[in-house]
Amino acid sequence: MPDTFPELAGKAAIVTGASRGIGAAAARELARHGVAVVLAARTLEASEMIAAEIRQTGGRAVAVACDVSHYDDVAAAVRACQDEFGRLDILVSNAGVVEPIARLADSDPEAWAHAADINFKGVYFGLRAALPVMLDQKAGVVINISSGAATGALEGWSHYCASKAAALSLTRCADKEYREQGIRVMGLSPGTVATEMQVLIKASGINPVSQLDPAVHILPEIPARAIAWMCTEAAADYCGTDLSLRDEKACRRIGLDY
Ligand code: NAP
């Protein structure tokens, strides 16, 4: 397995939710393969620090303030990628929230809907804004960061499970509509990853995931490596599906042994 993927060099990507966690690791990893990256998150300062670090090591990166629950912000991130780097080849729709964790009867309707706006509509907004550019280029890769929650039910996570299931449906629909036109759309279910999200989950104490020993979580660099591999043609047979990092065969193909 090569350390870098030469076919990615010179491409341009947007990574949403790139201010920390899996998104930040994915932005760094894509830059290592020669991809110019737009880091999009609400917290501009944190994303800008990561973009500056990428530039200092010879990569190309810019940060933009973007709330994926607002279509205009997502469309502006796409324009920023075109303006800065002249193209858009890869969209990693990674921004996501698990809060507020609460059982249905206790849930706050507004907060529940806002989480769905981020986890589900944010993925739609990404596809809607990026696809026309990719279709003009006759190529593109969209990776929607999914979860085992897309196909499973967990107490206190109805907003998360339902919105990840809806995002998986968008992955399938987009693949059906655009595969023949050179667009590869797939999802990544990373397993449990040592990020701020797992800290919040642990603090909730509400379901079996919150009881996990933090030592079992994988580092964000592992899904980041998977994301880079998924941007290559080698991953084409995962289009329209969620690739799970719990699938040993998939991990072997990616070259992950952990
Ligand atoms: P994290 O450390 O909490 O990071 C979440 C990222 O999303 C942050 O950069 C945050 O930045 C951004 N974000 C949140 N709301 C946003 C919004 N409205 N607009 C733009 N950006 C927004 O969590 P993570 O673990 O890296 O999660 C990344 C993705 O992996 C999520 O989709 C999550 O569901 C998925 N995932 C995580 C795990 C896990 O175990 N950690 C497991 C399965 C799936 P700002 O706050 O600056 O906007």
Side-chain angles (χ1 to χ4, degrees):
M1 180 65 59
D3 183 47
T4 57
F5 302 123
E7 75 179 80
L8 300 186
K11 299 206 181 288
I14 298 172
V15 180
T16 69
S19 61
R20 61 175 187 268
I22 297 169
R28 289 188 177 102
E29 176 69 5
L30 288 171
R32 207 175 63 74
H33 295 272
V35 178
V37 187
V38 174
L39 293 93
R42 292 169 304 183
T43 324
L44 186 57
E45 208 183 329
S47 318
E48 179 46 52
M49 277 172 63
I50 297 158
E53 176 204 306
I54 290 171
R55 291 193 295 269
Q56 273 158 19
T57 51
R60 290 183 301 157
V62 295
V64 297
C66 172
D67 182 335
V68 299
S69 67
H70 298 150
Y71 179 70
D72 289 350
D73 282 13
V74 180
V78 168
R79 280 195 302 276
C81 191
Q82 291 180 287
D83 292 347
E84 286 288 332
F85 305 126
R87 51 193 301 113
L88 169 62
D89 304 286
I90 297 163
L91 168 65
V92 183
S93 273
N94 163 79
V97 292
V98 73
E99 286 284 351
I101 294 171
R103 291 180 180 86
L104 279 160
D106 308 320
S107 60
D108 175 69
E110 212 169 297
W112 196 106
H114 186 54
D117 282 351
I118 296 169
N119 295 351
F120 164 39
K121 278 203 238 165
V123 171
Y124 161 69
F125 289 155
L127 285 163
R128 176 62 187 87
L131 279 169
V133 180
M134 292 178 171
L135 287 166
D136 275 353
Q137 291 176 189
K138 299 188 173 20
V141 177
V142 179
I143 298 173
N144 297 323
I145 304 305
S146 187
S147 164
T151 51
L154 281 150
E155 242 184 304
W157 288 18
S158 63
H159 57 317
Y160 190 76
C161 296
S163 57
K164 290 292 186 184
L168 171 56
S169 181
L170 284 174
T171 296
R172 291 179 175 141
C173 291
D175 172 61
K176 182 144 293 216
E177 291 183 1
Y178 298 109
R179 183 191 289 212
E180 300 304 320
Q181 292 168 71
I183 313 295
R184 303 198 298 269
V185 185
M186 61 202 101
L188 171 67
S189 177
T192 64
V193 188
T195 66
E196 238 174 88
M197 186 173 280
Q198 284 296 340
V199 175
L200 296 171
I201 291 167
K202 182 132 212 83
S204 74
I206 220 171
N207 64 33
V209 184
S210 73
Q211 304 305 317
L212 290 173
D213 179 343
V216 305
H217 303 324
I218 59 173
L219 293 176
E221 286 70 24
I222 291 173
R225 174 73 181 179
I227 288 165
W229 181 80
M230 290 169 77
C231 292
T232 71
E233 282 186 20
D237 46 330
Y238 287 99
C239 287
T241 69
D242 273 357
L243 181 159
S244 168
L245 292 187
R246 292 212 164 100
D247 174 349
E248 284 178 21
K249 185 173 160 232
C251 288
R252 271 199 304 279
R253 287 186 64 188
I254 299 167
L256 295 173
D257 53 347
Y258 64 90

Coordinates of all heavy atoms in Angstrom, one line a residue, residues 42 65-77 114 117-118 121-122 125-126 129:
R42 N -18.0 26.1 11.7 CA -18.5 27.4 12.2 C -17.4 28.2 12.9 O -17.3 29.4 12.8 CB -19.6 27.1 13.2 CG -20.9 26.5 12.6 CD -21.8 26.0 13.6 NE -21.2 24.9 14.4 CZ -21.8 24.2 15.4 NH1 -23.1 24.5 15.6 NH2 -21.2 23.3 16.1
A65 N -15.7 30.3 7.2 CA -16.8 30.1 8.2 C -18.0 29.5 7.5 O -18.4 30.0 6.5 CB -17.1 31.4 8.8
C66 N -18.5 28.4 8.0 CA -19.6 27.8 7.3 C -20.5 27.0 8.3 O -19.9 26.1 9.0 CB -19.0 26.8 6.2 SG -20.2 25.7 5.5
D67 N -21.7 27.3 8.3 CA -22.7 26.5 9.1 C -23.5 25.7 8.1 O -24.2 26.2 7.3 CB -23.6 27.5 9.9 CG -24.6 26.7 10.8 OD1 -24.9 25.5 10.4 OD2 -25.1 27.3 11.8
V68 N -23.2 24.4 8.1 CA -23.8 23.5 7.1 C -25.4 23.5 7.1 O -26.0 23.0 6.2 CB -23.2 22.1 7.1 CG1 -21.8 22.1 6.8 CG2 -23.6 21.3 8.3
S69 N -25.9 24.0 8.2 CA -27.4 24.0 8.3 C -28.0 25.2 7.5 O -29.2 25.4 7.4 CB -27.9 24.0 9.7 OG -27.6 25.2 10.4
H70 N -27.1 26.0 6.9 CA -27.5 27.2 6.1 C -27.0 26.9 4.6 O -25.8 26.9 4.4 CB -26.9 28.5 6.6 CG -27.4 28.8 8.0 ND1 -26.7 29.5 8.9 CD2 -28.6 28.5 8.6 CE1 -27.4 29.7 10.0 NE2 -28.5 29.0 9.8
Y71 N -27.9 26.8 3.7 CA -27.5 26.5 2.3 C -26.5 27.6 1.8 O -25.5 27.2 1.1 CB -28.7 26.4 1.4 CG -28.2 26.1 0.0 CD1 -27.6 24.9 -0.3 CD2 -28.3 27.0 -1.0 CE1 -27.2 24.6 -1.6 CE2 -27.8 26.8 -2.3 CZ -27.3 25.6 -2.6 OH -26.8 25.3 -3.8
D72 N -26.8 28.8 2.1 CA -26.0 29.9 1.5 C -24.5 29.8 1.9 O -23.6 30.0 1.2 CB -26.5 31.3 1.9 CG -27.8 31.6 1.2 OD1 -28.2 30.9 0.3 OD2 -28.4 32.6 1.6
D73 N -24.3 29.3 3.2 CA -22.9 29.1 3.7 C -22.2 28.0 2.9 O -21.0 28.1 2.6 CB -22.9 28.7 5.2 CG -23.2 29.9 6.1 OD1 -23.6 30.9 5.6 OD2 -22.9 29.7 7.3
V74 N -23.0 26.9 2.6 CA -22.4 25.8 1.9 C -22.1 26.2 0.5 O -21.0 25.8 0.0 CB -23.3 24.5 2.0 CG1 -22.7 23.4 1.3 CG2 -23.6 24.2 3.5
A75 N -23.0 26.9 -0.1 CA -22.8 27.3 -1.5 C -21.6 28.3 -1.6 O -20.7 28.2 -2.5 CB -24.0 28.1 -2.1
A76 N -21.4 29.1 -0.5 CA -20.2 30.0 -0.5 C -18.9 29.2 -0.3 O -17.9 29.6 -0.9 CB -20.4 31.0 0.7
A77 N -19.0 28.1 0.4 CA -17.8 27.3 0.6 C -17.4 26.7 -0.8 O -16.2 26.6 -1.1 CB -18.0 26.2 1.6
H114 N -32.8 21.1 14.9 CA -31.5 21.7 14.5 C -30.5 20.7 14.3 O -29.7 20.8 13.3 CB -31.1 22.7 15.6 CG -29.9 23.5 15.1 ND1 -29.8 24.2 13.9 CD2 -28.7 23.7 15.7 CE1 -28.7 24.8 13.8 NE2 -27.9 24.4 14.8
D117 N -31.1 19.3 11.0 CA -30.6 20.3 10.0 C -29.1 20.2 9.7 O -28.7 20.3 8.5 CB -30.9 21.8 10.4 CG -32.4 22.1 10.3 OD1 -33.2 21.3 9.7 OD2 -32.8 23.2 10.8
I118 N -28.4 19.9 10.7 CA -26.9 19.8 10.5 C -26.6 18.4 9.9 O -25.9 18.3 8.8 CB -26.2 20.0 11.9 CG1 -26.4 21.4 12.4 CG2 -24.7 19.6 11.7 CD1 -25.9 21.6 13.8
K121 N -29.8 17.7 6.6 CA -29.9 18.8 5.6 C -28.6 19.3 5.2 O -28.3 19.6 4.0 CB -30.8 19.9 6.1 CG -32.3 19.7 5.9 CD -33.0 21.0 5.9 CE -34.0 21.1 6.9 NZ -34.5 22.4 7.2
G122 N -27.6 19.3 6.1 CA -26.2 19.7 5.8 C -25.6 18.8 4.7 O -24.9 19.3 3.8
F125 N -27.4 19.8 1.5 CA -26.9 21.1 1.0 C -25.5 20.9 0.3 O -25.3 21.6 -0.7 CB -26.8 22.1 2.1 CG -28.1 22.6 2.7 CD1 -28.2 23.1 4.0 CD2 -29.3 22.6 1.9 CE1 -29.4 23.5 4.5 CE2 -30.5 23.0 2.4 CZ -30.6 23.5 3.7
G126 N -24.7 20.1 0.9 CA -23.4 19.8 0.3 C -23.5 19.2 -1.1 O -22.9 19.7 -2.1
A129 N -24.9 21.8 -3.6 CA -24.0 22.9 -4.0 C -22.9 22.3 -4.8 O -22.4 23.0 -5.8 CB -23.5 23.6 -2.8

